């Protein structure tokens, strides 16, 4: 049983340091917290996996609330592109490891909180041992591979888990494995695999760098993670001023499992979806569980393979691609037709003079009926007329396709080749290797790095 569940509830006038009464007084006078709730917070330990847009606000509010020990694990460094949403990091800490940047700010915020840093990405062979040292786990990562790993390790370590995600203008929040019971034991909360037994298709997974994120959106989700953490830790103090050890764990029917969904531009912005609970055939938490401590510690379970992660896209022959330097030379000596396949929003941020903007989604829709592609209307020339328009615009000139990183542009070239392979257009289209990332590195260092 965790330390925050074993508190001595006897009366005392000096349960906290003098300064702590003043620091936490505004929340201690709430009946839902009280002195017992504050003591539970003081004796609790929480591990935050990921110190990005979710982890920063969660850590800030948990430190402010007086959680006794915060563990921070992340292997990334602070970049300028993080600062609009990752509120523990500053311009001065750019280039620092995220856990060191966060630690410095949290110590300034509340010297009563013990901060433990783990300066690496979470590894399967270490996850269970690491989780076992904490009372509660927060998944603040941004990829399915880490979400499945963290959930599996939380189940095997017997720890409740709070998981959230945010992308663009939307977010979702889950409280998982709460209360934590051994695999196969009836009751308890569902795990991540219960809700998502199969990972999403790899090509549908976007990072914040690819899909975008509004800072307050991920901030809202991080704050809600902190709130749910406080609710779990202080739950017993809400029931009784003098709880017994037997009822320290929340009962099965304490709160039905649900997913909280946030959409910033919807009205109302919040809605809750009730979940079914544990899945009887779950490979992690059911009586049929196939995921074991050995499979994690031996690393025999490959999360990249499970999630379908492959090597970077490489679908074209070498002679069908040109470098950024070669494109610049062509622009100086000829008038190449450059097709920018990023979406219009990114095209408006920066683009090459004279380039044509045709978002990749129009190429992706070329082999499907209009009825199956709601983003494309029949009258906008996206399918039936796209190749014809390109032929007319090219007028025999080669096409050079470019995107942000050199992936979508390759796929657009392949689409044209497959559909127009017998025509001059299909034999005269090229990809710019590395896209605008390579353009910035090899040609123009002032090109916006967004």
């Amino acid at each position: 049983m965790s330390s925050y569940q074993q508190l001595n509830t006897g009366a005392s006038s000096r349960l906290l340091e003098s300064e702590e009464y003043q620091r936490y007084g505004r929340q201690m006078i709430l009946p839902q917290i009280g002195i017992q709730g504050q003591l539970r917070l003081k004796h609790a330990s929480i591990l935050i996996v990921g110190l990005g847009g979710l982890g920063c606000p969660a850590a800030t509010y948990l430190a402010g609330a007086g959680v006794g020990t915060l563990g921070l694990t992340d292997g990334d460094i602070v970049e300028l592109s993080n600062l609009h949403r990752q509120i523990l990091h500053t311009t001065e800490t750019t280039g620092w490891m995220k856990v060191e940047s966060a630690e410095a700010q949290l110590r300034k915020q509340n010297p009563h909180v013990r901060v433990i840093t783990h300066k690496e990405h979470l590894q399967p062979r270490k996850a269970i041992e690491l989780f076992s040292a904490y009372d509660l786990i927060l998944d603040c990562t941004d990829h399915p591979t880490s979400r499945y790993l963290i959930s599996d390790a939380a189940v095997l370590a017997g720890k409740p888990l709070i998981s959230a995600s945010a992308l663009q203008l939307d977010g979702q929040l889950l409280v998982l494995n709460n209360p934590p019971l051994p695999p196969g034991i009836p009751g308890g909360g569902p795990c991540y695999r219960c809700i998502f037994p199969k990972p999403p298709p790899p090509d549908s997974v976007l990072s914040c760098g690819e899909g975008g994120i509004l800072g307050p959106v991920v901030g809202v989700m991080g704050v809600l993670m902190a709130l749910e953490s406080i609710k779990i830790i202080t739950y017993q103090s809400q029931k009784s001023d003098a709880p017994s050890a037997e009822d320290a764990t929340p009962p099965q029917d304490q709160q039905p499992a649900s997913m909280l969904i946030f959409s910033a531009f919807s009205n109302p912005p919040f809605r809750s979806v009730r979940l079914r609970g544990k899945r009887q055939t779950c490979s992690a938490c059911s009586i049929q569980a196939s995921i074991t401590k050995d499979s994690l510690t031996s690393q025999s379970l490959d999360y990249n393979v499970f999630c379908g992660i492959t090597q970077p896209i490489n679908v074209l022959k070498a002679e069908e691609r040109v470098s950024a330097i070669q494109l610049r030379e062509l622009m100086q000596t000829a008038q190449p037709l450059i097709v920018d396949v990023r979406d219009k929003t990114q095209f408006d941020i920066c683009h090459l003079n004279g380039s044509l903007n045709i978002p990749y989604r129009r190429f992706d829709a070329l082999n499907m009926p209009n009825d199956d592609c709601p983003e494309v209307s029949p009258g906008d020339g996206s399918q039936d007329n796209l190749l014809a328009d390109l032929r007319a615009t090219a007028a025999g000139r080669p096409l050079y396709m470019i995107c942000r990183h050199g992936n979508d542009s390759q796929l657009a070239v392949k689409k044209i080749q497959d559909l127009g392979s017998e025509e001059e257009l299909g034999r005269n289209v090229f990809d710019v290797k590395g896209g605008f990332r390579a353009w910035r590195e090899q040609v123009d260092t002032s090109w916006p790095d967004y």
Side-chain angles (χ1 to χ4, degrees), residues 230-246:
I230 293 171
K231 287 165 63 178
I232 290 174
I233 292 169
T234 63
Y235 168 76
Q236 198 55 56
S237 65
Q238 299 172 29
K239 285 187 60 181
S240 168
D241 290 334
S244 64
E246 287 74 16

Side-chain angles (χ1 to χ4, degrees), residues 20 43 58 69 106 146 168 203 231 245 251 267 329 397 406 416 434:
E20 290 180 290
H43 289 84
T69 300
L106 293 173
S146 55
Q168 297 177 339
D203 57 2
K231 287 165 63 178
N267 186 19
E329 293 171 351
R397 291 180 294 165
I416 294 174

Side-chain angles (χ1 to χ4, degrees), residues 3 11 90 97 108 159 168 175 183 198 212 216 248 278 290 325 328 395 398 420-421 434 448:
S3 57
T90 67
M97 293 202 71
K108 291 178 183 177
K159 305 296 178 178
Q168 297 177 339
V175 178
K198 295 182 179 180
K278 277 193 172 184
S290 59
I325 293 176
R328 181 189 60 182
S421 58

